[in-house]
Amino acid sequence: NTNSAKTVLAALLAEAGHRGVSLAVDHRVLEINKSDDGFLVKTSQGAILARAVVLATGGKSLPKTGSDGSGYALAEKLGHTVVATTPGLDPLILDGDFHVALSGVSLEVELTVCVEDEKPLKHGGAMLWTHFGVSGPATLDVSRHWHRAKLNGKLVEVFASFFPGIHAAELDQVRDFQRIGGF
């Protein structure tokens, strides 16, 4: 039991085989229609009748692998609501050039995304300064919220705390201590 991708894939394929599931590789799904007996799936290699269908659409990010967004149309035709896609795992581009001198510096931060009429979202982790803005795990994790707000026409701001886990009142105490010569 290694939990490696190969081990997990082998386990899934073995279980599928035990349950009589057939895999149709190199079949591009063109249409799915509900029928009395289940579903009629029209593919590039012909039609398949299935009792059940699992629609794993992928995204739109890599069309040459089939992840071109066409699965969303299949889901809509079956009556599902599809939410508009937004980029995710995306660095954030900053105005100005103050950050250019910081390019390559990585530090732990807590990012807060404030979207108009929504509860602020906080996420901690590493942030990497780049020549164009910020990247790194924390930034990539919150970027989808920034993009979603922009798509919805909402005001959005992202704040970075360079003292993650420390509340503003505690920072005020440190600042006051610094003023009287503690540091």
Side-chain angles (χ1 to χ4, degrees), residues 99-110:
H99 46 82
V100 174
L102 299 168
S103 185
V105 174
S106 178
L107 65 159
E108 290 294 312
V109 298
E110 181 178 73

Side-chain angles (χ1 to χ4, degrees), residues 92-116:
L92 297 177
I93 298 170
L94 301 178
D95 289 337
D97 62 0
F98 74 93
H99 46 82
V100 174
L102 299 168
S103 185
V105 174
S106 178
L107 65 159
E108 290 294 312
V109 298
E110 181 178 73
L111 298 178
T112 303
V113 181
C114 296
V115 177
E116 176 184 7

Side-chain angles (χ1 to χ4, degrees), residues 3-70:
N3 282 334
S4 74
K6 286 182 180 180
T7 305
V8 172
L9 177 60
L12 286 171
L13 291 174
E15 186 61 24
H18 292 308
R19 295 186 179 263
V21 173
S22 62
L23 300 177
V25 296
D26 295 327
H27 285 63
R28 181 163 179 89
V29 175
L30 306 172
E31 193 175 328
I32 303 172
N33 294 301
K34 182 83 172 106
S35 72
D36 292 337
D37 299 326
F39 296 89
L40 180 63
V41 182
K42 293 181 183 176
T43 78
S44 57
Q45 305 293 323
I48 301 169
L49 186 60
R51 284 184 310 185
V53 171
V54 175
L55 181 59
T57 67
K60 293 173 136 180
S61 61
L62 202 54
K64 68 181 178 183
T65 66
S67 188
D68 61 2
S70 61

Side-chain angles (χ1 to χ4, degrees), residues 64-150:
K64 68 181 178 183
T65 66
S67 188
D68 61 2
S70 61
Y72 298 126
L74 296 171
E76 283 181 315
K77 188 172 180 217
L78 289 169
H80 295 283
T81 301
V82 176
V83 175
T85 60
T86 54
L89 302 177
D90 206 21
L92 297 177
I93 298 170
L94 301 178
D95 289 337
D97 62 0
F98 74 93
H99 46 82
V100 174
L102 299 168
S103 185
V105 174
S106 178
L107 65 159
E108 290 294 312
V109 298
E110 181 178 73
L111 298 178
T112 303
V113 181
C114 296
V115 177
E116 176 184 7
D117 301 324
E118 294 182 21
K119 183 178 175 183
L121 171 90
K122 294 180 182 271
H123 188 81
M127 183 180 82
L128 173 67
W129 292 96
T130 70
H131 64 285
F132 56 80
V134 289
S135 189
T139 305
L140 298 177
D141 283 344
V142 301
S143 65
R144 70 182 183 277
H145 301 289
W146 186 87
H147 284 296
R148 173 67 59 198
K150 287 294 188 184

